[in-house]
Amino acid sequence: MATIEEFGEYETAWCPGCGNFALLEGLKQGLAASGRRPRDLLFVSGIGQAAKAPHYLNANVFNGLHGRALPAATGAKLADPRLTVIVESGDGCCYGEGGNHFLAAIRRNVDLTMIVHDNMIYGLTKGQASPTSQRGHVTKAQPGGAAAERFDPVSAAIALGAGFVARAFVGDTEHLAQMVAEAIAYRGFSLVDVFQPCVSFNRVNTFAWYKKRCYRLPAEYDPSDREAALRRAGEWGDRIPIGVLCRADRPVFEDSIPALSAGPLAGREVDRKKLSQFQRRFG
Amino acid sequence: MATIEEFGEYETAWCPGCGNFALLEGLKQGLAASGRRPRDLLFVSGIGQAAKAPHYLNANVFNGLHGRALPAATGAKLADPRLTVIVESGDGCCYGEGGNHFLAAIRRNVDLTMIVHDNMIYGLTKGQASPTSQRGHVTKAQPGGAAAERFDPVSAAIALGAGFVARAFVGDTEHLAQMVAEAIAYRGFSLVDVFQPCVSFNRVNTFAWYKKRCYRLPAEYDPSDREAALRRAGEWGDRIPIGVLCRADRPVFEDSIPALSAGPLAGREVDRKKLSQFQRRFG
Amino acid sequence: MKSEKAVQVIIGGEAGQGLATVGRLLSLILVRLGYRIVVTQSYMSRIRGGHNTFAIRVSPGEIAAPVEPIDVLVALTPETVDLHRGDLTEDGLIVGDASFVEKRKGCAAVPFGEIAREQHVNTAAVGLLCSVLGIGLDMAEALVDETFKKKNEQVIEENLAALRGGYEWAEQREEIHRPLPAPRRREKRLMMSGNEAIALGALSAGVRLCAFYPMTPSTSIPLTLISAAGEAGVVVEQAEDEIAAINMAIGASYAGAPAMVATSGGGFALMIEGVSLAAMTETPVVVVVAQRPGPATGLPTRTEQADLEMVLYAGHGEFPRAIFAPGDVEECFYLARQAFETAEHYQGPVFVLTDQFLADSARAVKPFPVEELEQVRPGADPDSVKTPYRRYEITGDGISPRLLPGASDHLVVAGSDEHTEDGHLTEDLGARLRLADKRLRKGLGLSRETIAPSYAGDAEPEVLLVCWGSVKGAALEAAGRLRDSGTAAAVLHFSQVWPLDPGRFLDRLRGPARVIAVEGNATGQLARLIHRESGFEIPERIHRYDGLPITPGYILRSMEG
Amino acid sequence: MKSEKAVQVIIGGEAGQGLATVGRLLSLILVRLGYRIVVTQSYMSRIRGGHNTFAIRVSPGEIAAPVEPIDVLVALTPETVDLHRGDLTEDGLIVGDASFVEKRKGCAAVPFGEIAREQHVNTAAVGLLCSVLGIGLDMAEALVDETFKKKNEQVIEENLAALRGGYEWAEQREEIHRPLPAPRRREKRLMMSGNEAIALGALSAGVRLCAFYPMTPSTSIPLTLISAAGEAGVVVEQAEDEIAAINMAIGASYAGAPAMVATSGGGFALMIEGVSLAAMTETPVVVVVAQRPGPATGLPTRTEQADLEMVLYAGHGEFPRAIFAPGDVEECFYLARQAFETAEHYQGPVFVLTDQFLADSARAVKPFPVEELEQVRPGADPDSVKTPYRRYEITGDGISPRLLPGASDHLVVAGSDEHTEDGHLTEDLGARLRLADKRLRKGLGLSRETIAPSYAGDAEPEVLLVCWGSVKGAALEAAGRLRDSGTAAAVLHFSQVWPLDPGRFLDRLRGPARVIAVEGNATGQLARLIHRESGFEIPERIHRYDGLPITPGYILRSMEG
Ligand SMILES: Cc1ncc(C[n+]2csc(CCOP(=O)(O)OP(=O)(O)O)c2C)c(N)n1
Ligand SMILES: Cc1ncc(C[n+]2csc(CCOP(=O)(O)OP(=O)(O)O)c2C)c(N)n1
Ligand code: SF4
Ligand code: SF4
Ligand SMILES: [Mg+2]
Ligand SMILES: [Mg+2]
């Protein structure tokens, strides 16, 4: 059990007023609630403003390449399933450069949690459209407005069969913390897409914009009905739901890999006898 | 207007009995029906057994990299929108290595047709599981059965908002030809996922397997209802629907790019006066 | 290059404080007045906070190098003073708000709060600098007028007031005046950075599609193209990733649109398979790699020259290529053009290697004769080819007739697998050899046409500085200073780093007592290449890889020990 | 290597006819009987049809090279005869079905239809070959028994009958007998290909995760690992693409599982950004690149050695690496092990460069002492590090204490951005220099420990053949033949191609009248590298890049002109 304080306080490289601060706060609360200690946690991130977050946390950190946090996290989790592995990165990183890994992670269903700082923009590279930018969103790189349709990560994840799909908003930290804790507790691939306003480059999807729209899913909402979940996730306009949109049990990847049944790969000894037997097959 | 014969007859490198032959036949029929001449057609493929198909057709061909047919096709189409650009490749190529481009192509909605030879296996590399392989499918590389969930391309495309999503089966060439012709006629990104049995490596999803299951969508089926389409596309088991599952009008990428309104990029002259004006902005 | 009387103004502050706005405005004023400038932008990988600088070295005569000493330090935060005080020249001036700058000799403690409203402080600073540098206010006023003309009158008025406020405050204080010598003559110049020049060069060559994925310090190339896209008829598409970007460009080029990509090291790494595809399908594509320090994410906003070898050997299999490495903004323009021409003629990947320093370094350039320059015309005349058309016809120089699909009844088949002359895949090993040889033969032409390194300086130098790319200016100025102090010196600068033709430079290397390779990397990549290609091992090496550009001072200090 | 009496049996036919099954069965019989073999597999990029061959060169003594001349040509299709008749030795024999093989001297026109049912024809052919080669039928029978023991009795009986049918048919025909000399001594040997040995070496080093995306000719490495996965406790994961594969391996290695990837040129190109990540985060990872002819898709099932330079300079930024290039199956095993050790010790990417020829070439190897060999133990002891733990502590040799996350209270922070010693990202340019230097210092150790090229042959040769990787056997045999014909000859073989330490081989290069680089590529990549590193320009070059392996005959013919 760790307290919020154990996850540390660091100076950040974020802009004053950025939604990332509240996100970090909610995340820490969620971590504390999840009962994980810093040493049990591994944060894997890509590159971007969001991806810096793990550097501002007391935990193990693997800060990899832009777009490639998921495969690195997958490798780490398979190497040592005792670790609670959390992928934390931006919308561009996770759904843009990393799109193929997102598809694969959902299909594979390794026990990972993916927390996306979704500011609907490329922050660190100064404000180009991201996959989650709305069609028509004007930026310096898209002066005529983004021409491609918005990628809706939660709908996509639900449609693709993900087992745990949640949305949160930094304006509701308590709820965010809860989503984080639930996602960590869920065994399998879990996604928490977090609305995080970028005060420097996204002048459309501002704190107020989200605030006005986001509402918590009602208590009676049943996340186990995937079709209903899809319908609900599709709500985009005046009202946008936050909460666990979809939740289902799915076979976890680790359980179907015989080599993992004998415990973590890390630290395992070569069974030289067996290897010798294996070699004999070539004779 | 071209006849089937104009698309040629070539010796292939495919296995006797392979579903690719019927696919090629249906494709040619569809091309003939579409009224395109060989010179108007550009086939863009990746690498795999399926990806060889354009070499067995009289048409322009850009046979690119494994997984990268879509971006190459996108570039070619933007360069010369007069070309009818058809991406043709395998399930591994299109949904595995090329997964991120599949996501992007749907969002972008360039006027392309994508024909996937879906044999639910990696053929050319000798039978590893592909994204469309069923969970549990046993191969040499997956002796314990594929651990990841099957990627369902038509459901995914529908959920992601694609405008034209069809499924066909090489066992019903007439229908296949029709799907091809409709997809070509559709303006925007169109997907035709074609069941194509691999006699060498997929001993589960055989011709008979598909034959038993595939049924044509009933005439009264309404492809414009995306929710119904998703439900229908989700049918997987004893009965699997083929036909145009989903069809909707969507803004076409080319229409929102000002530079394209003046005609094809290919062959365009530099307007030196305007360039000179542009340069003056630096003064 | 003779050492020129030059003044360096550095504006420092946090990201988001608008220091680049001040810097750009002042630079443009100076350029319009006929001065030469060398801008060096140092910034951190963050959007707000931290500490950035915008350095303008300005002179009435030609200058080409960044330098360290600061004549006027404009501090937007106290930190600026702490960080850069040490670099001030003897007569150096610190300009900053009175709240943190002391009132003493060598300091201008400006009561900005009294002079202007908060949002106009930067404009006031520009006005003030006009006075400090003794360049009058007319040009500044004209520029403010232009800049804000799209906004309303009031904005213009407020800014003009701030400008004048700053100017007048300084006018009264002679002790802070650091007047520039008058500009030589008022010939028309433009303010352009390396990346802007690459974009303009590409436009003038006829680029029709640029696919990119944002990556510092390359992004300003597509952004510049985008700002021209409507009028120039260019598609600039942000791709889903770098792999898509290069494949899109290759597809576009195949279909007749001259195409390019722009990226940096990590993004380029992802394009390498595509480079090989361009080579195999013999599709022209221009690849701009704007270098920054690695490995991996490294220092994303700093400069380095460590990707020459990666670019030279990028792609599996063997094929010819050309790599240009512009040394200044003019070369950025002309070599970007050249890259398109070479790519089209030799039908394959051609590279432009630049780096963050040059990418972001604005200079005063003569307007390029864009109205006279020819564009590239993709593809051959369909009527000129033999029937049946063979895309990869074996020819003496390895160059086959490239037709565009759809433009005629000839079908154009391009293949990633080894192929026959008609483009269809083959496993005939004889055909393989013929096609491979054909492709490799293009290398002979590329070698013959390679740009010889430029040589400048004494005919029989004691010291020869060998460099490539953006180090040019620093090397030239270092050599100039050596000459000023009585040492015969010269510079051998490679603006094309591949192919190398030792016949065109080996003699230069053999004479001097000291031959020194100066490179912005740790291992001496060009020096090693020269060694391999010419047998000449450059005995001395100067390296820099802390993220900052090489300066004349850095070279001279390194030479001493 | 002395030239050995050897016989070459080639089985040719269409893909899907089971020629590899015949070939493997016969090879295994020969190996069990104590013969040495060199298998060369030539196949097309298709699953059925086309024309493939499985060549077994067999000898009672040591042999190491593929050769062209055919002593026994087993034709499963008429095409085989047409294609390979020209390579038959004077006394060569064609074996094929009576339907297309003439009944004349030097031909065995076999009425396979009478001897066996269609599905057992291949087994009959094996029986027949046992007679032709004069090796008896016992071993074949034993093997058929083992092979089909999982199936039912009837299958075994049918196959045994076919085997005997073929054998007896041939026994009666002395004119088709081409008996092998008796094997030297019956020491235990295994039949193993280069890729299988790499997999076994990796297992013995303790590999725990192999991530891959299928790509010829590398796929048999993960497939071999998979066949051991359950008992060896290895995760072999087919990734969604090569980028995922290397990042997965790096993630696994960071967390304590020795990890590898295996791919070929185009797949490796996609991994290059990841290589740079491994270098920056200082994470051990073994990268096997099985070369095939490029560019792009090229000839996917053929062999080449053209990716040395790509691998050597793969990754943006500068960092040390080691590249091993096994020359035979034994080296595949030991260098795969070495790669894991080096990767763990130096904490970064280490490469094993092989090629299709060696990957698929089965040999008779002594069993490796897998019961005695040590495994790699990832990470340092958490109790041995200073507190606060700094993952990238600056050390003299550049090697910092690597802890594993979760294994102690020490937190392990690995960074892709430039970082401080504790792993957190920094933009402090002084820290940058210190960390970059630390990383580069590891190169000194790598250089010191590099494997010197092996030298074999006359002490003062007239001819020195310089080669790397899989060319070893051909070079050794060519040198042997030169010696047999009175020319003093030797071979300098590099099984580690980076780093190079000229001190350990320059002397060898200086003496001989003819120094010839023999490489399976068009441009002489190793020769160029040797030139750069040692200043020695190898005057003669032999290249092959038509997709086939270099043979002794190819070398000798090329030497003549
Ligand atoms: C391969 C590669 N391509 C591009 C980049 C440049 N890059 C760094 S961050 C970033 C975008 C970040 O956007 P997002 O993931 O949404 O994070 P944010 O900054 O908005 O939090 C890009 C494109 C990179 N580092 N690596
Ligand atoms: C970058 C890269 N990785 C891997 C390969 C090897 N490869 C060639 S085809 C193929 C799979 C083909 O499967 P699919 O796309 O389903 O086509 P099929 O052969 O089944 O028709 C693979 C992995 C390659 N050519 N390039
Ligand atoms: S750029 Fe946007 S997302 Fe990044 S720190 Fe600033 S406000 Fe936050
Ligand atoms: S391997 Fe399968 S898909 Fe490929 S040609 Fe043979 S049967 Fe067809
Ligand atoms: Mg973002
Ligand atoms: Mg397939």
Side-chain angles (χ1 to χ4, degrees), chain B residues 13-15 18-20 49 119 123-124 196-201, chain D residues 47:
Chain B
W14 291 326
C15 309
C18 173
N20 280 325
Q49 296 283 45
N119 53 14
L124 188 55
Q196 166 255 312
C198 168
V199 297
S200 291
F201 296 111
Chain D
I47 307 305

Side-chain angles (χ1 to χ4, degrees), chain B residues 268-272 275, chain C residues 197-208 225 234 256-260 286 332-344 370 373-378:
Chain B
R268 197 177 290 184
E269 293 287 310
V270 171
D271 185 333
R272 298 187 194 170
L275 191 58
Chain C
I198 287 175
L200 189 66
L203 287 169
S204 124
V207 65
R208 285 287 156 249
L225 292 172
V234 189
M260 71 184 290
V286 172
C332 283
F333 176 85
Y334 285 107
L335 293 176
R337 280 183 50 83
Q338 181 65 53
F340 278 90
E341 281 167 26
T342 304
E344 181 59 35
V370 291
L373 294 168
E374 275 303 320
Q375 74 174 90
V376 163
R377 288 177 201 283

Side-chain angles (χ1 to χ4, degrees), chain D residues 320-446:
Chain D
R321 73 191 74 201
I323 308 175
F324 298 106
D328 53 36
V329 172
E330 285 83 359
E331 289 185 359
C332 283
F333 175 84
Y334 285 106
L335 293 176
R337 279 184 50 81
Q338 182 65 53
F340 278 90
E341 280 167 27
T342 305
E344 181 60 35
H345 186 70
Y346 288 97
Q347 304 178 16
V350 171
F351 302 88
V352 178
L353 254 183
T354 179
D355 56 33
Q356 180 271 329
F357 161 61
L358 182 56
D360 292 331
S361 182
R363 312 279 170 98
V365 296
K366 284 192 210 146
F368 297 104
V370 291
E371 299 209 33
E372 276 99 71
L373 294 168
E374 276 303 320
Q375 75 174 91
V376 163
R377 289 177 199 284
D381 175 5
D383 294 333
S384 71
V385 305
K386 285 177 236 146
T387 306
Y389 169 58
R390 286 168 301 151
R391 169 67 188 91
Y392 302 112
E393 186 186 331
I394 304 281
T395 60
D397 58 6
I399 300 171
S400 313
R402 179 167 105 91
L403 294 189
L404 307 182
S408 72
D409 277 333
H410 295 301
L411 299 177
V412 185
V413 180
S416 153
D417 283 274
E418 192 54 273
H419 39 256
T420 51
E421 289 180 66
D422 65 10
H424 286 296
L425 57 83
T426 184
E427 302 197 53
D428 174 333
L429 305 184
R432 152 69 177 180
L433 267 188
R434 285 191 298 280
L435 269 287
D437 284 337
K438 176 193 107 70
R439 287 188 296 268
L440 289 166
R441 270 202 302 281
K442 295 193 284 183
L444 300 176
L446 281 166

Side-chain angles (χ1 to χ4, degrees), chain C residues 294 297 318 416 432 437 523 545, chain D residues 294 297 318 416 432 437 523 545:
Chain C
T297 312
E318 295 171 303
S416 154
R432 152 69 177 180
D437 283 337
T523 63
Y545 50 101
Chain D
T297 311
E318 295 171 303
S416 153
R432 152 69 177 180
D437 284 337
T523 63
Y545 51 102

Side-chain angles (χ1 to χ4, degrees), chain C residues 414-431:
Chain C
S416 154
D417 283 274
E418 192 54 273
H419 40 257
T420 51
E421 289 181 66
D422 66 10
H424 286 296
L425 57 82
T426 185
E427 302 196 52
D428 174 334
L429 304 184

Side-chain angles (χ1 to χ4, degrees), chain A residues 47-50 66 90-93 119 121 123-125, chain C residues 213-214 242, chain D residues 273:
Chain A
I47 296 297
Q49 296 283 47
H66 181 62
D91 44 325
C93 195
N119 53 13
I121 205 80
L124 188 56
T125 47
Chain C
Y213 187 82
E242 287 85 352
Chain D
E273 195 193 13

